[in-house]
Amino acid sequence: MRGLEIRELECFLVLAQELHFGRAGERLYVSQSRVSQLLASLEQRIGARLVSRTSRRVHLTPLGTRFLCELTPAYEELASVVDRARSAARGVEGTLRIGFQGTADARLMTAITTFQERHPACVTEIVEIPFADPFGAVRAGDVDAAIVLLPVEEPDLVLGPAFSQERQTVAVSVRHPFASRASLTSAELAQTPLISATSPAPPYWRTAHAPSQLPAPAVRTLQEGLTLVAAERGAMLLCRPTAEYHGRRDVTFVPVEGLPDSVLGMVWHREGETERVREFARAVESVPVPVPLPPSPSPSLSPVGGPRSGSSRTPRP
């Protein structure tokens, strides 16, 4: 191995594929004479001819054929070692922990798949974070990044790519006066007791997801909130896909007009930004944004008794 030149091996491999010195030179971006020089140097190093060339034909010698069979897997493994070292130098290996609120929807899973395909040396772990604590896991280092409901006004956190944008609905008991309505206005919603997240979610975040002037219970999880809705303890604001997924016999969902859409975003700690996190943000940005579904013509998004038949949307809070 002393003095072995990788360029000589590359030249031999390309020449063995092309069996033509001119085409091999084109692929290697060198002259035909340089291909001859590299091959001659390798043959001198080995001590025997690897390629036989006449005026009409270029072919491998028996030793050249054997050398090709043994060299190819070794060279491919060497290239893999270099790629793994390059990934390690960029920090895209080890474990990436991603937090999510509610349910990991199809777009998040596509982003994770894209990231894994790009960086197979990095293992991705998916961690559910509480509805009422959107930023705690990032701050504690339990996750490297999280997909959370906006707004995000945390000075120690970085807000990355927006993840989706969905229409808002309100969950009410089937016995509620709003249950038969085709839609509500934001003004009507402000006069409705809305179940909100409890602390440690910051006040501005809780207010954004329960914009009501009337008191109502606060919960830690989405399921706690829907249970209180069914018990007529208040209503709860949810995005459209979550409403379609969480259909149940005692709760119905009514679209709300005049509210900003529900938006998810990727966040991470300013002091915890790594190449893994940046590469995952790029994976999120590369996932196509789904085309929003048109408004439902029915009075509510989910008929009493369950979610709409055939719905394939995956929920998020």
Side-chain angles (χ1 to χ4, degrees):
M1 292 291 291
R2 182 175 299 174
L4 182 63
E5 294 288 342
I6 296 297
R7 192 61 166 168
E8 295 173 3
L9 300 179
E10 292 176 337
C11 178
F12 172 75
L13 289 170
V14 172
L15 183 58
Q17 293 173 359
E18 297 291 344
L19 295 178
H20 190 282
F21 280 75
R23 289 195 299 268
E26 291 174 359
R27 283 183 54 183
L28 294 168
Y29 299 100
V30 298
S31 66
Q32 183 172 329
S33 61
R34 181 56 178 160
V35 174
S36 298
Q37 291 172 2
L38 290 169
L39 176 62
S41 178
L42 179 61
E43 289 178 332
Q44 183 178 4
R45 196 182 306 280
I46 291 175
R49 297 285 298 275
L50 299 174
V51 176
S52 177
R53 174 170 56 174
T54 67
S55 59
R56 295 185 177 181
R57 183 181 176 214
V58 175
H59 65 276
L60 300 181
T61 65
L63 178 60
T65 301
R66 176 181 173 183
F67 184 61
L68 175 65
C69 292
E70 295 180 354
L71 174 62
T72 300
Y75 183 84
E76 291 175 350
E77 176 59 26
L78 179 61
S80 297
V81 169
V82 174
D83 288 341
R84 289 193 294 269
R86 185 182 294 115
S87 294
R90 296 174 61 196
V92 190
E93 65 170 6
T95 302
L96 177 70
R97 296 161 297 172
I98 300 296
F100 68 92
Q101 286 186 297
T103 301
D105 66 13
R107 190 162 184 237
L108 173 57
M109 298 309 299
T110 300
I112 290 171
T113 299
T114 300
F115 176 82
Q116 291 280 199
E117 290 174 348
R118 293 176 179 177
H119 308 288
C122 186
V123 177
T124 305
E125 293 182 355
I126 311 172
V127 180
E128 184 175 2
I129 57 179
F131 171 63
D133 191 11
F135 312 124
V138 173
R139 288 196 171 106
D142 295 332
V143 298
D144 299 298
I147 305 298
V148 299
L149 282 162
L150 303 190
V152 176
E153 301 175 5
E154 308 300 302
D156 59 332
L157 302 183
V158 177
L159 175 59
F163 204 71
S164 63
Q165 184 171 332
E166 297 288 351
R167 190 183 184 190
Q168 302 262 36
T169 70
V170 63
V172 295
S173 165
V174 294
R175 296 176 294 278
H176 195 282
F178 290 159
S180 61
R181 293 279 297 273
S183 65
L184 298 176
T185 66
S186 57
E188 290 175 307
L189 196 68
Q191 301 300 319
T192 303
L194 290 178
I195 296 168
S196 65
T198 187
S199 59
Y204 76 85
W205 193 89
R206 300 200 301 266
T207 300
H209 299 290
S212 173
Q213 302 172 7
L214 301 179
V219 298
R220 286 191 57 82
T221 70
L222 181 61
Q223 288 302 322
E224 287 178 13
L226 288 173
T227 300
L228 290 178
V229 168
E232 300 184 80
R233 298 285 302 280
M236 191 172 189
L237 200 61
L238 302 171
C239 74
R240 181 185 176 93
T242 302
E244 291 178 340
Y245 184 86
H246 285 283
R248 45 188 291 174
R249 294 183 180 278
D250 47 7
V251 174
T252 192
F253 302 88
V254 183
V256 181
E257 307 293 343
L259 281 183
D261 288 342
S262 172
V263 181
L264 289 171
M266 177 181 168
V267 298
W268 61 87
H269 201 281
R270 291 190 181 278
E271 297 180 357
E273 183 171 322
T274 64
E275 188 64 20
R276 290 190 297 270
V277 171
R278 288 189 288 268
E279 282 296 309
F280 187 76
R282 295 183 186 107
V284 169
E285 291 176 328
S286 71
V287 178
V289 178
V291 177
L293 293 176
S296 171
S298 61
S300 63
L301 290 175
S302 294
V304 176
R308 182 183 303 158
S309 174
S311 174
S312 61
R313 301 296 298 271
T314 310
R316 61 177 179 78

